[in-house]
Amino acid sequence: MSVMPYETITDRDQLIKRMQSYNPDADVELVCRAYAFSAKAHEGQTRRSGEPYLRHPLAVAGVLTSLRSDVTTIVAALLHDTLEDTLATPDELEQEFGQDILRLVDGVTKIGRIQFRNYEERQAENFRKMLLSMADDIRVVLIKLADRLHNMRTLEHLAEAKRQQIAQETLEIYAPLANRLGIGWMKNELEDLCLKYLKPEVFSTLKSRVAKRDEERQKYIEEVIHLVRQALQEAGLVGEVQGRPKHLYGIYQKMERQAISFEEVYDLTAVRIITDTKMNCYAVLGLIHSLWRPVPGRFKDYIAIPKSNLYQSLHTTVVGPRGEHVEFQIRTEEMHRVAEQGIAAHWKYKERGQIDDREGKVFSWLRQFVEWHQDLPDNRQFMDTVKLGLFHDVVYVFTPKGMVKEMPLGSTPVDFAYAIHTEIGDHCVGAKVNGKIVPLKHQLASGDTVEILTAATQVPHKDWLKFVRTPRAKTKIKHWINVEEQKRSVEIGRRLLERELRRHNLPPAQMLKSDRLLEVARESGFETTDEMVAAIGFGRLSTAQVMNRLLPPPPEGGRQASEALPAARPTPGKTDEKGVKVKGGRDLLMQLSRCCNPVPGDRILGYITRGRGLTIHSVGCPNLEALDYDKERLVEVEWDTSSPSTHAVKVSVLAVDKTGVLANVSSSISECDANISRAEISTREDRKAVLDFVIDVSDTSHLSRVLKAIERVDGVITARRVRTWQER
């Protein structure tokens, strides 16, 4: 049994025929009315390709038939752009199609009437809306994924910059979301399309190489499949055997992760065996291992411990005929259906898109997203947390009572403690893993049994942010530290202000509660007196500035003592010699962070340090993330493109160790008008050369041209930018 996406739907009758293939009792009349409504609403509109706009909602509805979606979802897909892109109103939609369909369409509709400061703000608010809608009815996200898939299939008609932006967002959010929902084929197609537009040269090269290798490998795989079928028949076991090629993005990831060339990727194809029962899955596994020797460390049992998206299968790699590695996946028909359709395979449509108890426990990450939506008002931090939560490899660890907890790879006992309960995390002092005391930064492995030790006097530490892995743990630690910092800042600020008030013979207790001080706070841009006092404690506001506003003007010719430190007046668009412009124009000493070496084109943020001015970090820098709890010190900055300059960037090149590679790489860098300020060369045991350069570039697009030029050099395997925090 194979569950795969169908060809793109191009007309109404084709859609109805496909829907009736799995739902003979479907309400065809309702679908026809939705099609007619959408056709009338979009009449005269065309897509960038020049084709009628109606083709898009029709194609989105077609994608959803691949997931065997119900009539309500299909109808909502046909109407999903009517509220956003046409004159149709919510009242018309509800009157014509009912409240359920209106709710789904509204959940998919973007927030179009609000003005946002930038693309990231809009992205975050759109995702927040979709998140809350899908928590109520997960069909919202199925429609959104189908919409994004068709947009990615037709992305070539957009401008280059827009293609890159949409592809990056898809890779960071929508492909991982499809994976978390268990829709395997959609996740693979989205990732391959992202690779096509983000790294077109890599995509084109891989595609041609895989096609060529497939021709060579086809006979070999057919031989393996024949031997397996013969063995199954002799053993009396039921099993459908089929080849399964790996998707291009998966191959690219493997090459990047393991720093290997295409020729060193052995398992480009895998063999899938679909049998009838769970017991026979293990029987087939035993049969495969009796035919060929298994590769140690390459067996995974996702039947006994399913993935968080309900995926179940046995994975094993064996040394097949003529010594070549072959990967096998063994599952039942039901497991295969879930692997391809994910949550859509379990759907309880009669319950208005609600997840039943079994799936509700497994999809607990959705409830975590809602929790983050409530706890993280900062849009940038919210999106970074969501991306981290969507995209991770996992380990399976046990509580002392034998309950299984799924944790991201790299998780520590502190992550485990916060996964159980916030209070346990806050008071965690130590942990036992498999009965032995381990450090709090110890990384957990699958199969570990973890016991958390707590103490009432323990509180979270800033240092924990350097090693915790889960978004939940990071959020809770930052929240606690932020609350404590706020309390401390209010105390310090109050003491400083009280001292200044006494110096001017003003009663502190009375003044701190006065309406006049509240007026001064609001004149300074704060909602309450406490907010202003906290700003004094943080060092963002001086007591002299407050007194200048609070005290009456001096007599003619006189002078106030508090004028010794005049109120700072922002100068619009203050630009530093580093080529960075501070939004709001604060007069601060600036320096580019050495941990991430940002260059023009990178998204950046400033952090006000104590005594060292403003440090500029790239968004995503772990050092910046560790400081993220202290939002009062974060400053919005942007690159000043009016003053061109060069910036040093570290680049690491992995190449085959042969004569002429270094000279050719150096030449390719020079041809791109980039200067090499430092170079280090080393050779690995596997006859690979590592070439580390520090080069001067003007911006990220210049760097991208340099990296592409290096990758075109014969013998080069990978070329990439390196940050201080990254391992080579």
Side-chain angles (χ1 to χ4, degrees):
M1 184 195 82
S2 180
V3 182
M4 291 297 290
Y6 296 105
E7 294 297 320
T8 302
I9 289 283
T10 55
D11 64 63
R12 186 196 68 178
D13 293 340
Q14 192 181 0
L15 174 68
I16 291 170
K17 183 179 178 183
R18 192 178 294 173
M19 187 176 62
Q20 287 181 318
S21 68
Y22 64 85
N23 186 3
D25 300 324
D27 189 344
V28 173
E29 189 271 336
L30 181 61
V31 175
C32 289
R33 279 199 291 122
Y35 176 84
F37 188 98
S38 185
K40 185 177 179 182
H42 291 295
E43 190 174 5
Q45 294 181 347
T46 57
R47 304 193 82 209
R48 293 288 178 89
S49 61
E51 66 181 7
Y53 194 91
L54 184 62
R55 290 281 185 89
H56 171 63
L58 196 57
V60 172
V63 170
L64 288 163
T65 61
S66 303
L67 300 175
R68 304 170 71 87
S69 296
D70 66 340
V71 173
T72 301
T73 312
I74 299 295
V75 168
L78 287 171
L79 301 167
H80 80 273
D81 275 337
T82 54
L83 290 183
E84 184 179 351
D85 295 331
T86 77
L87 298 176
T89 66
D91 288 341
E92 288 177 333
L93 229 58
E94 183 174 9
Q95 186 175 354
E96 188 71 25
F97 300 102
Q99 191 174 3
D100 265 8
I101 289 172
L102 171 63
R103 183 170 44 79
L104 290 178
V105 174
D106 183 63
V108 179
T109 301
K110 296 175 187 172
I111 305 169
R113 297 179 178 84
I114 305 174
Q115 293 298 315
F116 296 102
R117 288 180 295 175
N118 50 44
Y119 170 75
E120 286 76 15
E121 290 280 331
R122 179 176 293 277
Q123 180 196 53
E125 287 304 323
N126 283 329
F127 194 80
R128 284 180 190 271
K129 180 178 180 182
M130 185 180 75
L131 170 67
L132 295 177
S133 298
M134 70 188 259
D136 180 49
D137 189 332
I138 208 160
R139 289 176 292 185
V140 168
V141 82
L142 296 181
I143 299 169
K144 186 61 184 175
L145 284 171
D147 175 48
R148 179 53 62 109
L149 179 59
H150 186 247
N151 284 333
M152 287 298 298
R153 287 174 177 175
T154 56
L155 204 59
E156 71 272 11
H157 301 291
L158 298 182
E160 171 68 18
K162 192 67 176 175
R163 289 203 300 262
Q164 293 268 329
Q165 187 183 70
I166 292 173
Q168 190 64 43
E169 181 185 67
T170 302
L171 189 63
E172 291 178 351
I173 296 175
Y174 291 98
L177 189 54
N179 182 52
R180 291 301 295 264
L181 292 172
I183 311 172
W185 66 266
M186 187 180 286
K187 172 248 186 190
N188 289 349
E189 186 176 349
L190 285 171
E191 287 181 340
D192 282 354
L193 288 167
C194 290
L195 184 64
K196 177 181 177 181
Y197 292 108
L198 291 173
K199 294 184 177 291
E201 292 180 1
V202 172
F203 177 83
S204 178
T205 303
L206 273 182
K207 189 176 181 181
S208 60
R209 283 183 167 185
V210 168
K212 186 177 179 181
R213 178 81 75 88
D214 275 353
E215 291 178 13
E216 300 167 358
R217 294 273 294 172
Q218 193 60 40
K219 287 185 179 179
Y220 180 81
I221 291 298
E222 286 176 2
E223 178 188 344
V224 171
I225 289 174
H226 174 72
L227 291 172
V228 171
R229 283 174 178 161
Q230 196 172 24
L232 287 171
Q233 190 174 6
E234 289 173 1
L237 292 170
V238 175
E240 179 188 338
V241 189
Q242 53 190 228
R244 182 194 66 86
K246 285 203 168 184
H247 70 301
L248 298 182
Y249 186 76
I251 297 169
Y252 166 73
Q253 274 191 312
K254 187 166 190 174
M255 291 168 61
E256 286 283 293
R257 188 170 57 248
Q258 298 181 13
I260 58 177
S261 65
F262 177 79
E263 287 70 24
E264 294 172 287
V265 181
Y266 294 109
D267 50 350
L268 287 180
T269 53
V271 177
R272 180 178 292 146
I273 303 173
I274 300 173
T275 186
D276 53 351
T277 66
K278 184 189 293 188
M279 185 179 295
N280 277 346
C281 287
Y282 291 97
V284 170
L285 175 71
L287 180 66
I288 298 300
H289 285 178
S290 71
L291 292 174
W292 299 292
R293 180 169 56 84
V295 177
R298 294 297 301 272
F299 169 67
K300 293 185 177 69
D301 187 345
Y302 293 120
I303 292 180
I305 305 178
K307 290 186 179 183
S308 62
N309 58 15
L310 306 180
Y311 176 89
Q312 288 185 287
S313 195
L314 298 176
H315 290 197
T316 187
T317 300
V318 300
V319 182
R322 296 187 290 283
E324 294 199 32
H325 286 198
V326 184
E327 182 187 335
F328 283 87
Q329 294 179 351
I330 306 164
R331 60 181 70 151
T332 65
E333 288 192 3
E334 173 62 17
M335 291 173 191
H336 183 57
R337 190 167 69 89
V338 172
E340 295 299 329
Q341 293 184 0
I343 196 168
H346 299 257
W347 208 240
K348 304 289 184 184
Y349 293 115
K350 63 183 179 181
E351 296 177 4
R352 216 191 75 176
Q354 296 298 308
I355 306 172
D356 68 18
D357 289 342
R358 176 172 173 263
E359 279 73 52
K361 291 175 184 175
V362 178
F363 287 94
S364 58
W365 56 269
L366 184 53
R367 289 192 294 276
Q368 287 180 1
F369 282 3
V370 176
E371 183 180 318
W372 296 335
H373 161 76
Q374 295 165 344
D375 290 349
L376 300 173
D378 178 72
N379 278 328
R380 182 184 60 81
Q381 190 181 350
F382 169 70
M383 287 309 295
D384 289 345
T385 303
V386 163
K387 290 170 188 176
L388 181 62
L390 278 174
F391 196 49
H392 61 250
D393 293 322
V394 297
V395 293
Y396 298 93
V397 295
F398 296 87
T399 68
K401 293 183 178 179
M403 290 180 60
V404 180
K405 285 280 184 183
E406 180 189 280
M407 308 289 294
L409 188 65
S411 291
T412 65
V414 177
D415 293 294
F416 183 83
Y418 276 106
I420 297 171
H421 197 279
T422 302
E423 285 291 315
I424 294 176
D426 285 347
H427 300 298
C428 172
V429 291
K432 288 183 179 179
V433 174
N434 303 324
K436 295 181 180 178
I437 296 285
V438 298
L440 288 179
K441 62 173 67 175
H442 172 83
Q443 292 193 359
L444 303 176
S446 284
D448 284 346
T449 298
V450 185
E451 180 185 351
I452 300 298
L453 309 175
T454 61
T457 55
Q458 175 70 310
V459 294
H461 289 277
K462 291 180 186 178
D463 288 345
W464 290 1
L465 292 170
K466 295 177 182 177
F467 58 77
V468 292
R469 180 73 175 83
T470 59
R472 177 181 173 82
K474 288 184 178 182
T475 301
K476 296 298 181 184
I477 295 166
K478 287 175 183 177
H479 176 72
W480 190 91
I481 294 173
N482 190 39
V483 169
E484 291 302 306
E485 286 279 333
Q486 190 73 14
K487 289 179 185 174
R488 196 175 305 126
S489 296
V490 170
E491 290 172 8
I492 294 170
R494 181 173 280 110
R495 285 202 300 270
L496 291 172
L497 187 55
E498 284 176 352
R499 186 170 64 187
E500 190 69 13
L501 288 168
R502 287 193 193 96
R503 199 164 69 84
H504 289 276
N505 297 317
L506 295 172
Q510 184 179 339
M511 290 302 300
L512 286 171
K513 296 178 181 177
S514 69
D515 292 339
R516 177 62 192 131
L517 196 62
L518 180 59
E519 287 176 20
V520 170
R522 288 175 177 167
E523 287 170 10
S524 303
F526 301 99
E527 288 292 321
T528 65
T529 303
D530 275 353
E531 285 184 20
M532 182 179 71
V533 169
I536 294 172
F538 270 121
R540 293 173 55 243
L541 185 71
S542 70
T543 53
Q545 289 173 278
V546 175
M547 297 309 295
N548 278 340
R549 293 183 183 274
L550 184 63
L551 295 176
E556 197 69 31
R559 180 175 177 82
Q560 269 183 214
S562 60
E563 285 180 348
L565 285 172
R569 297 179 182 274
T571 54
K574 161 71 179 169
T575 303
D576 185 78
E577 62 272 11
K578 300 295 182 185
V580 177
K581 191 184 297 182
V582 181
K583 294 184 180 179
R586 300 186 191 203
D587 189 11
L588 293 166
L589 174 68
M590 290 189 228
Q591 58 182 346
L592 296 178
S593 168
R594 292 182 181 179
C595 57
C596 52
N597 291 329
V599 299
D602 288 333
R603 289 170 54 212
I604 52 176
L605 269 177
Y607 182 78
I608 303 174
T609 60
R610 295 185 187 273
R612 290 187 293 113
L614 191 67
T615 304
I616 310 300
H617 291 264
S618 295
V619 171
C621 172
N623 289 337
L624 182 64
E625 289 178 2
L627 300 167
D628 214 11
Y629 64 87
D630 203 350
K631 293 188 183 62
E632 298 294 330
R633 295 185 178 275
L634 294 177
V635 176
E636 287 199 30
V637 292
E638 60 186 17
W639 294 104
D640 181 16
T641 54
S642 63
S643 53
S645 58
T646 59
H647 300 260
V649 176
K650 295 179 182 178
V651 169
S652 183
V653 179
L654 183 67
V656 177
D657 186 18
K658 64 179 184 178
T659 306
V661 170
L662 176 59
N664 292 337
V665 169
S666 301
S667 176
S668 69
I669 294 172
S670 300
E671 287 171 4
C672 292
D673 299 321
N675 179 56
I676 301 173
S677 57
R678 198 176 78 210
E680 292 181 10
I681 298 91
S682 58
T683 306
R684 301 193 325 196
E685 292 180 1
D686 59 357
R687 297 186 59 79
K688 301 282 193 315
V690 179
L691 318 176
D692 290 333
F693 298 97
V694 175
I695 61 176
D696 297 325
V697 297
S698 56
D699 54 28
T700 50
S701 61
H702 187 193
L703 174 62
S704 180
R705 290 200 307 275
V706 173
L707 293 176
K708 287 178 180 177
I710 295 172
E711 287 180 337
R712 284 195 290 267
V713 173
D714 183 42
V716 169
I717 299 169
T718 60
R720 63 189 182 89
R721 177 182 179 181
V722 177
R723 319 269 191 157
T724 303
W725 74 78
Q726 294 172 323
E727 293 181 3
R728 189 185 309 150

